[in-house]
Structure formats: C-alpha cells, structure tokens
Amino acid sequence: MTYKLDISPEVSTALRNNQPVVALESTIISHGMPWPENAETAKRVEQVVRDNGAVPATIAVIDGRLKAGLSHDEIDVLAKAGLSVTKCSRRDLPYVVATGQHGATTVAATMIIAAMAGIQIFATGGIGGVHRGAQQSFDISADLQELAHTSVAVVCAGAKSILDLALTREYLETQGVPVLGYQTNQLPAFYTRESDQTVDYRLDDPKQVADFLSAKWQMGLDGGVVIANPIPELYAMDKSLIDRAIQQALVEAEQQHIFGKESTPFLLKRVAEITGGSSLESNIQLVLNNARLAAEIAGELVLSKA
Ligand code: PSU
Ligand code: MN
C-alpha cells in the first residue's frame, strides 16, 4: 500500500514556476454548507483566487487518492454527498486512503496535504478551536495542533463563537501559533467583525503578512499562522441575533448528546437553520473575501522568493 498524491497539472505547473497557489478545503463544502450553495461557493471561491492572480488548489481525498486541485465534477461529488462523505482530520486520512474512499478535508487535513504538495497559503471560512465547555468535554479541534506543527498559513474570518475564543487564543499561544489581524486589532468572530479578544499583531497589507511568514519560516520556526480577516462590513451580522442562535444550537447539541467529529457540523447546520438564509450569505461572502486576501498574500510571498 503506497499513498498517491495527485497535484493537478495546473497547480503543479504553477508551483514549479514559482507562481502563487492558494489551497482550499473541502469539509466546508460537504459539512459546512448545504447543496447547491456549497458547490456554487466552492467554484466561486476558486474564481476569486484566479481573479486575484493565483491558482486555486481545492484539496480532498478522491477514491483514496490525495488531491491538490479538484475538477468541478469532483467538487460536485463532495457537495452532493454532503454529510455522508467522511469528514477527514489528521486522524481519519489513513482510513480513507487505505480503503479507497472519498474524504472531505478539514483545516487540519487540508494543511497536511497542502504542505505535502508545497502550498503555503490556504483560505477558508473559520478554523476549529477549543469548544465551550472543553474543561469537561475535552473537545479541542485537531486544527489547533496542526497549526502548531505544519507550515501553512490559514486565512480565515476568525473563529465562530460556537467556540471559546479566549481558550482558543490561549491554546494557540502555548503552541506558538501567531494570530495576525488583517487591518484589525480584534479577533473577528466569523459572522461579526469584532469579539472580546485581541490578535497578537495587526498587519495592514499583504506584503507585511508575506514578510512575517518569510521571517518565521526562514528562521526554521515550523508551524502555521492564523491570518484573521474580518467579514466585510456589508455582510456582518447582528451580534445579538447570532449569539442567540449559537446559544440555542449549543443547548440542542447538549440535549442530543452530540460530540466528537459530529459536534462542529451539527452546530454549523443548526446556526444556519435558526438564522435562516442570512448566515449562509454571510458565510459565503466571508469565504470569498478570504480567498481574495489569500491570493494577494500568495502573490507577495512568491515575489519575496524570486
Ligand atoms: N468552522 C466553520 N466552518 C467549517 C468548519 C469549521 O465555521 O466548515 C469545518 C472546517 O473544516 C474545520 C472543521 O477544520 O470544521 C473543524 O472540525 P472539528 O471541530 O471537528 O475539528
Ligand atoms: Mn472536536
């Protein structure tokens, strides 16, 4: 049994020629949004990366093969299958590879495959983190541990307040993962531009971010970086509205004894249902916004290597 990593011809050519590439995850497609918005968004995100001068590499496992760069048909397969696709974090990758199945990759597994392919910049919506009540449940996303070890920078809109943002910050600090605020001093909370948490450092343009990444990795300081990019003002949600939806979703999760890898998808789905279409539109817009910034940072990063 040997694993296969398929880097699409377009991605592979770009990497060879030192052109910017942006990795994209696939759990957000299968478990993060409903059909058909999930497939439409995945393709729009790729287009935004292209429009901003980089090559998109959506990452997943297809028939047991690791993929950096999916076709539209492959995106549709994962998008239609939804929750029935195996959600793959670090723990789950060997199973889908060994059994020849499809897998939708979380932030952690996407970072792993991106790093194997040689891709350093990754755009998504929100990262996993330390869940509220983790003191009892021990529910801490494997995304955080991956950020500690794997040298990929993740552009996100912060983390949803389904998580305990203060504990998530503490965990990242302990693991040596820098949290950068893009044009902000506050850690954005996904649907809202603000939270009660600060970032470690505020940087105001893509070149500054690329310089930060180069400095870190050139020093041999392996590991990821969180680049927190607030949702555009126009699409930000009312804090009290979203807080109430999250509170309700958390109560339901507890009542229904949802835990482990089902926890995050359950909460995402319920928050989207409770808020109607409005949170989905915000979610789509912030991912597009992150794809744009990631492409710009990837562009600056290749210039610094030229
Ligand atoms: N948060 C979101 N949207 C998402 C996810 C998290 O706002 O789609 C997905 C990402 O793939 C992330 C994963 O890596 O959930 C985290 O899952 P867990 O908490 O089980 O590690
Ligand atoms: Mn978890």
Side-chain angles (χ1 to χ4, degrees):
M1 173 77 220
T2 49
Y3 77 90
K4 299 287 189 309
L5 169 61
D6 297 332
I7 305 178
S8 75
E10 187 192 14
V11 170
S12 148
T13 303
L15 290 169
R16 210 167 338 109
N17 295 330
N18 192 33
Q19 285 162 349
V21 177
V22 172
L24 301 163
E25 63 151 312
S26 46
T27 292
I28 191 175
I29 303 175
S30 59
H31 290 66
M33 287 183 197
W35 169 267
E37 285 88 352
N38 55 358
E40 286 161 18
T41 303
K43 294 168 199 169
R44 279 176 77 188
V45 170
E46 289 200 343
Q47 191 54 48
V48 167
V49 170
R50 289 183 200 286
D51 293 345
N52 289 275
V55 172
T58 302
I59 287 180
V61 183
I62 300 289
D63 293 324
R65 300 173 75 98
L66 309 180
K67 298 274 178 187
L70 293 189
S71 67
H72 281 191
D73 285 348
E74 288 167 333
I75 287 175
D76 285 341
V77 166
L78 297 175
K80 279 189 192 143
L83 300 182
S84 69
V85 170
T86 301
K87 172 185 162 191
C88 284
S89 192
R90 168 176 278 268
R91 169 192 70 177
D92 312 284
L93 280 176
Y95 176 73
V96 292
V97 167
T99 57
Q101 295 182 38
H102 297 338
T105 51
T106 63
V107 167
T110 302
M111 289 176 73
I112 292 170
I113 298 171
M116 283 181 190
I119 304 168
Q120 295 178 301
I121 307 293
F122 165 19
T124 187
I127 55 168
V130 180
H131 281 253
R132 296 200 203 172
Q135 297 90 333
Q136 284 296 319
S137 68
F138 272 45
D139 191 348
I140 300 174
S141 174
D143 291 353
L144 299 186
Q145 204 48 37
E146 206 59 53
L147 282 160
H149 296 299
T150 303
S151 299
V152 173
V154 182
V155 181
C156 63
K160 281 204 178 74
S161 50
I162 57 173
L163 302 171
D164 187 318
L165 298 185
L167 293 187
T168 301
R169 294 276 289 109
E170 291 292 348
Y171 193 101
L172 290 169
E173 179 180 355
T174 301
Q175 298 296 331
V177 179
V179 177
L180 305 181
Y182 188 72
Q183 299 179 346
T184 182
N185 296 302
Q186 286 187 52
L187 180 67
F190 199 86
Y191 297 118
T192 56
R193 294 174 59 85
E194 280 114 34
S195 72
D196 55 4
Q197 296 297 309
T198 57
V199 294
D200 297 322
Y201 301 102
R202 170 186 174 141
L203 297 177
D204 288 330
D205 67 58
K207 165 97 167 48
Q208 289 177 355
V209 177
D211 287 346
F212 183 102
L213 298 177
S214 298
K216 174 173 164 71
W217 292 330
Q218 278 174 23
M219 281 187 280
L221 301 177
D222 291 340
V225 174
V226 175
I227 300 160
N229 185 30
I231 183 172
E233 192 86 62
L234 182 62
Y235 299 101
M237 293 185 70
D238 178 63
K239 187 175 179 316
S240 64
L241 185 101
I242 198 73
D243 282 352
R244 258 180 286 131
I246 287 170
Q247 205 50 50
Q248 185 184 331
L250 287 166
V251 169
E252 290 177 9
E254 183 156 351
Q255 283 166 349
Q256 296 175 40
H257 306 292
I258 309 285
F259 64 96
K261 71 193 289 193
E262 270 80 49
S263 170
T264 297
F266 177 88
L267 294 169
L268 297 179
K269 182 161 167 285
R270 286 302 291 141
V271 169
E273 286 166 356
I274 295 163
T275 55
S278 61
S279 74
L280 182 58
E281 182 57 20
S282 295
N283 199 343
I284 291 168
Q285 292 298 332
L286 65 84
V287 178
L288 298 174
N289 189 47
N290 294 341
R292 186 175 317 119
L293 176 59
E296 291 171 359
I297 295 168
E300 291 294 341
L301 197 61
V302 300
L303 284 181
S304 74
K305 288 185 205 161

Coordinates of all heavy atoms in Angstrom, one line a residue, residues 87 129 131 138-142 259-264, ligand 2:
K87 N -15.7 13.0 6.9 CA -15.0 14.2 7.3 C -13.6 13.8 7.8 O -13.5 13.1 8.8 CB -15.8 14.9 8.4 CG -15.1 16.1 9.0 CD -16.0 16.7 10.2 CE -15.1 17.6 11.1 NZ -15.8 17.9 12.4
G129 N -11.5 25.1 16.9 CA -10.9 25.6 18.1 C -11.2 24.9 19.4 O -11.7 23.7 19.3
H131 N -13.7 24.2 22.1 CA -15.1 24.3 22.3 C -15.5 24.9 23.7 O -14.7 24.7 24.6 CB -15.8 23.0 22.0 CG -16.0 22.7 20.6 ND1 -17.1 22.8 19.9 CD2 -15.0 22.4 19.7 CE1 -16.9 22.5 18.6 NE2 -15.6 22.2 18.4
F138 N -13.3 18.0 26.8 CA -12.0 17.9 26.2 C -12.1 18.1 24.7 O -11.2 17.7 23.9 CB -11.4 16.5 26.4 CG -10.6 16.3 27.6 CD1 -11.0 16.8 28.8 CD2 -9.4 15.7 27.6 CE1 -10.2 16.7 30.0 CE2 -8.6 15.5 28.7 CZ -9.0 16.0 29.9
D139 N -13.2 18.8 24.2 CA -13.3 19.0 22.8 C -12.5 20.1 22.2 O -12.8 21.3 22.4 CB -14.8 19.2 22.4 CG -15.1 19.1 20.9 OD1 -14.1 19.1 20.1 OD2 -16.2 19.0 20.5
I140 N -11.3 19.8 21.7 CA -10.4 20.8 21.1 C -10.1 20.3 19.7 O -9.7 19.2 19.5 CB -9.1 20.9 21.9 CG1 -9.4 21.3 23.4 CG2 -8.1 21.8 21.2 CD1 -8.2 21.2 24.3
S141 N -10.4 21.1 18.7 CA -10.2 20.7 17.3 C -8.7 20.4 17.0 O -7.8 21.1 17.5 CB -10.6 21.9 16.4 OG -10.3 21.5 15.1
A142 N -8.6 19.3 16.3 CA -7.2 19.0 15.8 C -6.6 20.0 14.9 O -5.4 20.0 14.6 CB -7.3 17.6 15.1
F259 N -21.4 14.8 20.1 CA -20.0 15.0 20.5 C -19.0 14.5 19.4 O -19.4 14.0 18.4 CB -19.7 14.3 21.8 CG -19.8 12.8 21.7 CD1 -18.7 12.0 21.5 CD2 -21.0 12.2 21.9 CE1 -18.8 10.6 21.4 CE2 -21.1 10.8 21.7 CZ -20.0 10.0 21.5
G260 N -17.7 14.7 19.6 CA -16.7 14.2 18.7 C -16.8 15.0 17.4 O -17.1 16.1 17.3
K261 N -16.5 14.3 16.3 CA -16.4 15.0 15.0 C -17.8 15.5 14.5 O -17.8 16.3 13.6 CB -15.8 14.1 13.9 CG -16.6 12.9 13.5 CD -15.9 11.9 12.7 CE -15.5 12.4 11.3 NZ -15.0 11.3 10.5
E262 N -18.9 15.0 15.1 CA -20.2 15.5 14.7 C -20.5 16.8 15.3 O -21.4 17.5 14.8 CB -21.3 14.5 15.2 CG -21.7 13.4 14.2 CD -20.7 12.3 14.2 OE1 -20.4 11.8 15.3 OE2 -20.1 11.9 13.2
S263 N -19.8 17.2 16.3 CA -20.1 18.4 17.0 C -20.1 19.7 16.2 O -21.1 20.4 16.0 CB -19.2 18.6 18.2 OG -19.3 19.8 18.8
T264 N -19.0 20.0 15.5 CA -18.9 21.2 14.7 C -19.9 21.2 13.5 O -20.7 22.2 13.4 CB -17.5 21.4 14.2 OG1 -16.6 21.6 15.3 CG2 -17.3 22.6 13.3
Ligands
MN2 MN -14.0 18.3 18.1

